[in-house]
Amino acid sequence: MSKVVHTMLVLIQDHHDLLMLQQCLASLTKTKNSFCVFFNQGGLSKDALHQELQKFDLSYVILGDGENKGIPFARQKCFEYIWEHRSDCTFITEIHPDMLFPSNWTEPLCKFLEQNSKEPCVSPGILTASGEWHPHQKGTSVVDMPSVPNEIISLLKWLQLPKITEGFVHPVMHRADLLQQVGGYDLNHLKGKQGYEDDYLLLSYFRELDLPYNWKPKVNLQSMVYHKTMAQRMHFTDIEHEANVNLTGLIQRFGKQAVDELNRIHQTELIRSKPAKKVVVLGENTDETCEFGQHAVAVIIETGEEPLKHQGFQKRDLHTLSKPEITIVTHPFWVTKHSELKPSFLISMLNDANDQIPRYFQFYKECLYALSNVIIVNNEEDFFLQSLRYDSVFFIQSTRNPVQNTSLYPFSEKEELLNELFSCYKHKECIQHIRQQQIHRKITVLKRQLKWDVHNEHIIGTLAKYLYLNGDFQEAEKYFFEAFARNVAFQRDDGLLKYYPWISLSQCRQYKLVEAINSFGILAVTDENKQIYECLLNEYNAGRFGTAIAMLMFALGDWLYADQLVREDSTIQSMDLIRNIYLKMKHYLKPATDSSLSVFYQLNHLDQIKLKGEIEELQGEKHRAIHYYLQTACIDELQLDAVVRMQTAESYLKSST
Amino acid sequence: MGTDHTISILTHSFLDGYNHQITKIFAGGLERYIYELSLLITQLGYSVEIHQLSFSEAFETHYEDNKLENVRIVGHQCSNLEHIPELFNKMACEASGQLIYASCIWHAIPYKKGSLGICHGINWDRIELVLDTKNAVRDNVQNALSSLSKLVSVDSHFLTYCRSTSFYTDCEKVELIPNFVDTTQFVPRSSPNKGRFRLLYPRRISPERGILQMMAVADILLEKHGDIEIEFAGETIDGAEVTTAFHFWRNHHPHGERIIHNVYTFHEMKNAYRDADLVIIPTIYSEGTSLSCLEALSSGLPVVSSNVGGLNDIIIDGFNGRLVTPTVARLESVISELIQNPDQRKELAANSRGTAMAFDMKRWQKQWIAVLNDYLT
Amino acid sequence: MRPVRKKEGNRLTAIMQVRNEENRFLEKVLQSLTDVVDDMVIVDDNSTDRTVELCKSFSKVKEVVELKESSFHEEWVLRSRLWKEVCKYEPDWILSIDADEMFEENVQEEIRSLINQDQFDWVAFRMYDFWGSTTHYREDEHWNLHKRHSKMLVRHLPGFPYYYLQQEHHVHRIPFSYNALWGSLSDVRVKHFGWAGSMDERRKKYERYKQIDPEGKWGSLVQYESILDPNPNLVEWRNRE
């Protein structure tokens, strides 16, 4: 018995067709233990076909009497034969005579279907005669095609990638039981000889198997097959007519919305995304599940002694690189190098482990975050903290605690996010949209969890924070108070510091300023906070509400909102506040604007020189940075620390590259 | 030799106790002063014992060279500079001879009454030093004046400081003995310098000596004048931030090939002056009668000096050097002016050797012998 | 707006729940409170004697809330009610005290210094159970409240949530949300006269406890039993020097 049974329709019209069939079968025999069902559509008699097939080490059966009754008919006959006579098989393929198969090409496909029990079918990647690599690099010729089958086959092996992508091509491997469950090609609806039969089958799967709304067929690139022509050769004069017959049948069965569904099914990420982008990774790639996105040609500049584990990456000297579109920084010290590349998009993706670097980490992390277009963190608390400070912060759980169901879905969360970001990084709204979706999903999940675990302080507190980030301040406030109550009830005693800042923030965002200031007051037990509280009361009592709000937001960590207020509300005149926001958010590292310059010129002499030093340092101008830092040290000796900091970062990078 | 014939010098530094290289004398002004003083004392027939601090483990050793013989040196372990008063007390208790408190006069040291002290200049003249500290120093100086029989000051400023902030009745309590230079060792070079125009910073790589200002000034000078080079001739302290910063600065300097760093022994130092065209002494605070400044003058070189401490006793602005407030801008401006103006340099240099002669070592020895004879009898 | 914590000029309001206290310690207690607090808010739990009248005769009593239906068996309802009643006056500090409790003498100034500060938001005191008299207190393994501190005095913080455990008996007199705040333990002592009456009174109380809480759900059965101990260890009260 064979686990896999192949089905192939054979139509031999000339010597060339015969040669292709021979080459195809020769390659197919390299994969053992399969059975083939051939359907003779014409050109050779059944005996002649037998004679041909017997030259190969194959178990097979031939169906059909040499008449071409169309593709759906022929395939369906093959399926029905298998369901009846080879019911022990697990997988059924649809293959073609113009293909070449590397040995054991079915194995990765079987494995994928075994591991992902809900997927009804999977295709390998294919290389076409024009050297195009389907489906993931459709439209671009990526290799010069050799002419000898053996060379083609070795090229196929070389092109294999440990990746799953979305898409549908032939050959395809079906799960035998699910194919039978949906009935294969229903000839009542597919009366035409060709056209829409693939779509019909995909829709059957989608509808009958109740697949997830966003389901799309998958391609496992660990298996690569050569498929000479992409289009079926048509000899029917009225192709359009035959296809229309099938489309009518399809709509008859699935209704008009079927067309939309089909559009969605075929809207794979490949169609959505652009060709590969050049991504440079600065720092270690310690994340085993993340290969920096599927459409990235990644060049990794790695520190540490760990050898590179991933395919497709090259380790390169920074100086030999041309300007990348996207740079990913995974270690804070590397931010000092990013200026050499001047990417148009900067992603920071620091590891938790980086926190163990004791000194100077914070400074460079803040610089990196100030400069980043996207910040990806792997700690949820850090996510909340940074989300209040910077735009476009994403949270992807640390890989050390893998999310459930990763085996069901081919990409790690991080890769998925990067793929999405790469495809739309030029549009800020699009990035915001992705982030909004992430937050919505979290809120839904947490609310569901909360139903089963109503007293779970952590769930309540986390939900409240997501609600806050989502702009649902009233609901957030309610949940923060609830989390606080749970904390008190369970005698955890850290509720005040944990939730009161958020309570105050939520109240403030609802313009419940009196409540917000009172909450701040309750929290204000340190000398620093007492001082701020006094200022808040003064501002409030003087009727400077805008200043009070911005001051409170900033003190409690919502830098983004404080910054926005300061920019938009001309009544806010507190220079201290404006200056503190400017310094903390490191606006000076970004391209200067009139307003940022006006803040700069109000700084004292020492701060001005210091910031000039930081600007130079982050632009890679070491000598100039040192010159400024020396001048600050002439005023205050402790400022010399900046030079020591530079030296520390540099020696770290040197020792590890 | 018995107690009667031993003099114990108490100091925070003599052998290199910073880097625990206790076979050599640390290359600083204080250490040279103690060296010369020890020579003088032995010439008077006394033996010398030195108690100092060690910033690693405690030690006891003997030092000698071709001039100075068999000086016992005890290093007292110091982990925290705040322990200095107790450590000096410990030194005093363990000392076998008559005491000379040779440094740290601004600390609250419990002096043995009637001893001799030396003040190497005012080191609390840092403008941003907090008032509390300055007031504490005033009290400590008052205590020193009340306890010691005599205090030798190396410059006129400390003398004025005592007169203006302390109360005492003995007009001769503070004895001014300006520092010295061996004018036979440090002599003007006979042939003109053939290489690049060279600036010399003959000081330790240390903030109070103006190293930060000097580095910042060097950035500007090297950029502005393509034909100059700058030598930093002074010790570094391992692990100090300023050392790290100095090396990092040099390594990243676009004109790094024109920045030279050397550490010389006392005896090699004259070579540094021989190769220099202009000497910069940009001290920020804590300066007595600078030995380096005197040596530069003795070597017949023009000097740009800051107007800090005892330097004001030596340099008359526009006569034997230039005297400036040590900011980057002012230093740079005066140095650039001198680089471009050989006549002015020549004029200043013409008066420098003569100035140094007034500080010749023989005068210093004579004054000290008088003080010692007085103290020892 | 005024600050949530003031270093001076704090107004102190006492709160008390009462029920048929006429012939017990109420008058003495109100008299002693008059010296300590600025005003008082009292909730009367359906008294049938002259308790309400007695309360109203003290000028510092700002309000007596008279409940017509007793909440005696739902103590937490009573406590929450009392809290709500006092909060409407926005006091600075609240002293939660019972009708049979008194501060020791001459603590007026100390109490003021405890509230006129901005460092902590609650104060706890040592409470002594007087036994059979007003001269001796009881001290043994079941009666040692005075070895710990009990929160009685708290700052009123606007907007700060308050929760009482929903218990029928032995409810903490201060909302437990105050546990999240900083507090101070005072040396000032509080006298509790709940057990200072006759053996007969104590037996009645014992019977009531056993009736309300027969399974020891809100308190300890062993302690209930020890009420009847014929020879409890009594210690003589000494006034402070």
Side-chain angles (χ1 to χ4, degrees), chain C residues 199 226-232:
Chain C
M199 185 63 191
S226 73
I227 293 172
L228 300 178
D229 185 343
N231 293 308

Side-chain angles (χ1 to χ4, degrees), chain A residues 55 167 173 208 224 269 345 385 419 434 456 472 532 611:
Chain A
K55 294 177 190 164
M173 176 182 281
E208 301 286 319
M224 288 295 301
E269 62 198 303
F345 200 73
L385 184 74
N419 278 335
I434 298 171
N456 189 317
D472 303 327
I532 297 170
L611 299 200

